[in-house]
Amino acid sequence: MKGKIIMNTPARIHPTLAAVTERIVERSKATRTAYLERIRAAHQSGRMERNQLGCTNLAHGMAAMPKTIKIEMQQESIPNLAIVSAYNDMVSAHQPFHDFPAWIKASAHKHGATVQFAGGTPAMCDGITQGYAGMELSLFSRDVIAMSTAVALSHNMFDGSFFLGVCDKIVPGLMIGALVFGHLPALFVPAGPMTSGISNDEKSKIRQLFAEGKVGRDALLESEMGSYHSPGTCTFYGTANSNQMMMELMGMHMPNTAFVNPNTPMREALVRAAGEHLAESIKNGTAMPLGEMISEKNIINALIGLMATGGSTNHTMHLVAMARAAGIILTWDDFDEISSIIPLLTRVYPNGKADVNHLQAAGGLAFVVRELLDAGLLHEDVDTVVGHGMRRYAQEPFLDNGKVVWRDAVAVSGDENVLRPAANPFSPDGGLRLMKGNIGRGVIKISAVKPENRIIEAPAIVFNDQKDVLAAFERGELERDFICIVRFQGPRANGMPELHKLTPPLGILQDRGFKVALVTDGRMSGASGKVPASIHMSPEALLGGSIGKIRTGDLIRFNAETGELTALVDEKEWNAREIPTPDLSKNQHGSGRELFTGFRSLTSSAETGAMSFGGDFA
């Protein structure tokens, strides 16, 4: 089986990037070696090859197939491929997957492979559950998806896999599950964003007017339906679209397929091309096992992409978790150091006014990849699903007489308000910062926060529930400079829900001239911005994190420029303080939360990926 030479770094790569890469490789030696040994043993044992199954077992696996397909499946020379899909028609981003299995099967079959729909995974929508009990299942749905993926692939029937997923926890869950079966080649197939609706500025304006009681629910619903209006991914640059970018930068997609709209001839052609490609590459022996293909450099390239595009803070957990599934140890210090050298090349809402369709029209990810490669800010010497080298991802697809062809990225951005070259970035760094001090460690996305709002020194107001913040706002009790502390929101406490409903009221207070910031051991949406927020505070309050020591009235220094987050409390008093015991009874039942007790009790910290898996995971 083909191995990996990790540290053959090109001489012109940025020295900090080379140093961080070397540090991650060294840190991960033991866990990466153990992972590779496991997947190589799985490959060598042949336990995933259907010809190793007993006749009764194999008959069960083929029973539902047409007779002609059964004949082919009995031939050892014909690969049998799996489809694992997160299709449902409630989540707009996943509705297009309805037609993908038929297209993949037809295309792969023309090129000498059989395909079976191996299994489905859940796919919940954070946009629907925001602020409600269901959001407390959201983070751990990632781990359920990983487990569902493992169940789908556990039948020892497959020689490679297609993974169909888009949104927040779905892609990380699929990737974790796929890496457990890392001896199989894999290819991720995206569905693309919905077409553009009303402007993000208009949507935000109506939301704020509603929060102030100046427009009614009918106006708010009309606005929201004008934004979220058709099949496809939501068009802002949140976690879902950051997922798709990362799969591109990891080399897991056919090149530059992330942001092609569904229900178009190009999207169907790309799906069929994916079926053809995996079938052909497995047959001709060029397809690499996923776990061998994904190296430290692929993971770092995804991290670089997050910084260059202003991607979602949720990936300070999800990318860490995906890396650990491959035996690679990624830390928040790596995020912070990479962010310091990677220029911000895109401005997409919430970091700007444009959406991902505008980004795609201006030059898309092909332009971003080309600029980063040419600046020595991206690892070129990596393996991908289309072969060795990231340069293929500096090309974009076109239709030529119905066939997909790839051409080099545009030389010049179509709109420098949305997409810029590395020589003229929106900012010299990626806008993600590690926040640390006596309160703990957290992360902040400062690329969406105006410079004048990044430094605050103000008294704390402490809450144990986001609903209490909203109620205090409604009562007019927050008309002041303050640091909003929302604790007992970590994965152990209540599953770490996003606290996106806090953005409108805190934004209103900021617009009224008050200095405000948020500090929480919970999450914010991947689309959060405007209000400075140090999130994912680790350790969380329930595990003894110092965020639990803060009292209302404590003076807090919040400096997003330097990364300082300190409670200005006498050290002796601070050390003597005890963390209160919260009443979490209301988080234990309803909306299925009782089924997730085990997940909450086992999860690691946000900084280590908030993973509920134990055992051999790094």
Side-chain angles (χ1 to χ4, degrees):
M1 183 175 290
K2 185 178 177 181
K4 302 286 291 181
I5 301 175
I6 298 298
M7 290 311 301
N8 185 24
T9 307
R12 65 186 189 83
I13 206 80
H14 191 288
T16 299
L17 175 55
V20 172
T21 303
E22 185 173 3
R23 185 173 68 215
I24 294 170
V25 170
E26 185 64 29
R27 182 194 304 141
S28 306
K29 269 187 177 177
T31 50
R32 179 66 175 165
T33 297
Y35 171 76
L36 290 174
E37 287 176 352
R38 286 198 302 273
I39 65 168
R40 288 168 182 167
H43 176 82
Q44 290 164 1
S45 72
R47 69 177 184 88
M48 286 300 296
E49 297 175 3
R50 64 191 184 280
N51 65 336
Q52 299 295 315
L53 291 174
C55 293
T56 300
N57 308 81
L58 185 58
H60 275 286
M62 298 189 300
M65 297 295 101
K67 185 175 182 179
T68 54
I69 299 297
K70 287 180 184 177
I71 293 170
E72 294 182 48
M73 290 180 72
Q74 293 175 60
Q75 299 179 41
E76 293 184 15
S77 61
I78 295 180
N80 186 46
L81 310 180
I83 295 174
V84 180
S85 175
Y87 163 76
N88 66 55
D89 64 7
M90 178 198 67
V91 181
S92 64
H94 293 144
Q95 187 275 344
F97 288 137
H98 178 274
D99 296 325
F100 284 23
W103 296 343
I104 290 170
K105 288 181 178 183
S107 179
H109 193 248
K110 285 182 180 178
H111 293 270
T114 57
V115 182
Q116 291 179 294
F117 191 100
T121 76
M124 67 181 295
C125 177
D126 289 1
I128 298 172
T129 56
Q130 285 284 356
Y132 296 93
M135 177 53 84
E136 296 181 15
L137 278 61
S138 174
L139 175 61
F140 293 130
S141 74
R142 180 195 69 192
D143 295 5
V144 173
I145 291 160
M147 294 160 69
S148 301
T149 300
V151 170
L153 297 179
S154 67
H155 295 93
N156 303 346
M157 288 287 295
F158 308 112
D159 303 298
S161 305
F162 299 94
F163 295 95
L164 279 54
V166 172
C167 288
D168 297 20
K169 267 61 65 181
I170 291 88
V171 166
L174 289 170
M175 190 67 174
I176 292 167
L179 284 164
V180 172
F181 286 79
H183 56 290
L184 298 178
L187 198 158
F188 278 63
V189 184
M194 66 179 68
T195 56
S196 300
I198 66 169
S199 73
N200 289 303
D201 270 358
E202 179 66 18
K203 177 179 67 176
S204 297
K205 179 183 176 182
I206 297 297
R207 284 180 177 177
Q208 188 153 317
L209 289 172
F210 178 78
E212 294 177 285
K214 295 179 179 178
V215 300
R217 184 178 175 84
D218 54 345
L220 178 63
L221 183 58
E222 182 180 0
S223 169
E224 296 294 332
M225 290 179 68
S227 179
Y228 309 114
H229 61 90
S230 67
T233 317
C234 304
T235 59
F236 60 80
Y237 198 54
T239 310
N241 285 317
S242 297
N243 277 339
Q244 302 312 302
M245 176 280 302
M246 288 201 312
M247 290 298 103
E248 298 275 357
L249 273 287
M250 275 194 215
M252 290 304 307
H253 284 171
M254 300 294 286
N256 280 283
T257 57
F259 299 143
V260 175
N261 302 124
N263 300 323
T264 61
M266 174 60 85
R267 174 52 69 194
E268 180 176 347
L270 289 170
V271 173
R272 291 181 182 275
E276 172 185 341
H277 176 75
L278 187 58
E280 287 283 0
S281 60
I282 289 175
K283 285 190 67 178
N284 65 27
T286 60
M288 290 186 68
L290 173 63
E292 300 272 355
M293 193 195 87
I294 293 293
S295 72
E296 291 87 343
K297 289 183 179 181
N298 297 76
I299 295 292
I300 293 166
N301 279 356
L303 173 52
I304 291 166
L306 281 173
M307 303 308 162
T309 60
S312 169
T313 52
N314 276 324
H315 289 305
T316 59
M317 290 184 297
H318 296 323
L319 185 57
V320 170
M322 287 188 280
R324 284 177 175 256
I328 298 166
I329 309 300
L330 199 61
T331 73
W332 285 354
D333 295 287
D334 301 325
F335 280 77
D336 192 56
E337 195 164 351
I338 291 292
S339 180
S340 72
I341 63 166
I342 301 299
L344 182 66
L345 303 186
T346 75
R347 280 281 190 203
V348 182
Y349 186 83
N351 299 339
K353 296 181 179 181
D355 66 21
V356 292
N357 292 312
H358 300 134
L359 172 62
Q360 179 76 355
L365 293 177
F367 184 96
V368 171
V369 168
R370 196 267 319 287
E371 289 297 307
L372 292 170
L373 286 173
D374 289 352
L377 293 172
L378 192 70
H379 288 297
E380 186 166 355
D381 56 327
V382 296
D383 291 305
T384 77
V385 295
V386 292
H388 187 76
M390 273 303 294
R391 190 63 64 170
R392 279 289 309 274
Y393 289 80
Q395 296 181 319
E396 56 183 325
F398 293 87
L399 284 178
D400 186 358
N401 292 323
K403 184 175 176 60
V404 182
V405 297
W406 275 265
R407 300 170 186 159
D408 289 344
V410 294
V412 179
S413 168
D415 185 350
E416 289 209 357
N417 293 313
V418 179
L419 178 65
R420 290 187 181 179
N424 180 35
F426 291 101
S427 69
D429 62 60
L432 189 83
R433 191 136 301 153
L434 176 64
M435 299 289 286
K436 55 186 178 180
N438 62 358
I439 297 174
R441 286 162 63 91
V443 293
I444 184 171
K445 182 177 176 179
I446 65 171
S447 56
V449 179
K450 292 181 179 178
E452 61 267 27
N453 294 326
R454 295 177 182 175
I455 300 174
I456 304 169
E457 196 166 297
I461 302 179
V462 179
F463 302 92
N464 292 343
D465 192 304
Q466 62 175 322
K467 293 179 182 177
D468 294 336
V469 182
L470 299 173
F473 173 78
E474 292 293 336
R475 293 191 299 265
E477 296 173 1
L478 304 181
E479 304 281 326
R480 64 181 89 171
D481 293 353
F482 75 105
I483 307 291
C484 182
I485 309 294
V486 188
R487 62 193 185 183
F488 300 111
Q489 303 298 307
R492 288 277 180 124
N494 63 354
M496 205 180 190
E498 288 183 347
L499 307 176
H500 190 45
K501 280 189 178 288
L502 299 183
T503 300
L506 294 177
I508 290 167
L509 294 169
Q510 183 173 271
D511 290 346
R512 290 175 181 171
F514 298 111
K515 285 279 192 178
V516 295
L518 175 68
V519 178
T520 182
D521 51 8
R523 293 187 294 137
M524 289 293 284
S525 168
S528 61
K530 185 175 180 178
V531 176
S534 181
I535 60 177
H536 307 175
M537 293 302 299
S538 296
E540 64 176 285
L542 192 66
L543 290 181
S546 293
I547 187 176
K549 294 184 176 184
I550 302 172
R551 304 289 183 262
T552 294
D554 287 346
L555 194 63
I556 307 294
R557 179 175 294 151
F558 186 114
N559 189 327
E561 297 287 357
T562 64
E564 181 184 0
L565 182 61
T566 305
L568 302 177
V569 177
D570 176 77
E571 185 176 0
K572 185 176 181 181
E573 178 189 347
W574 183 256
N575 292 336
R577 283 185 180 177
E578 294 186 357
I579 297 171
T581 301
D583 178 6
L584 299 175
S585 59
K586 64 181 181 297
N587 303 119
Q588 307 305 306
H589 302 279
S591 294
R593 285 177 288 182
E594 49 269 69
L595 301 175
F596 284 73
T597 303
F599 289 81
R600 292 192 297 270
S601 66
L602 292 171
T603 183
S604 66
S605 70
E607 188 164 6
T608 55
M611 300 178 78
S612 63
F613 309 116
D616 290 324
F617 276 86

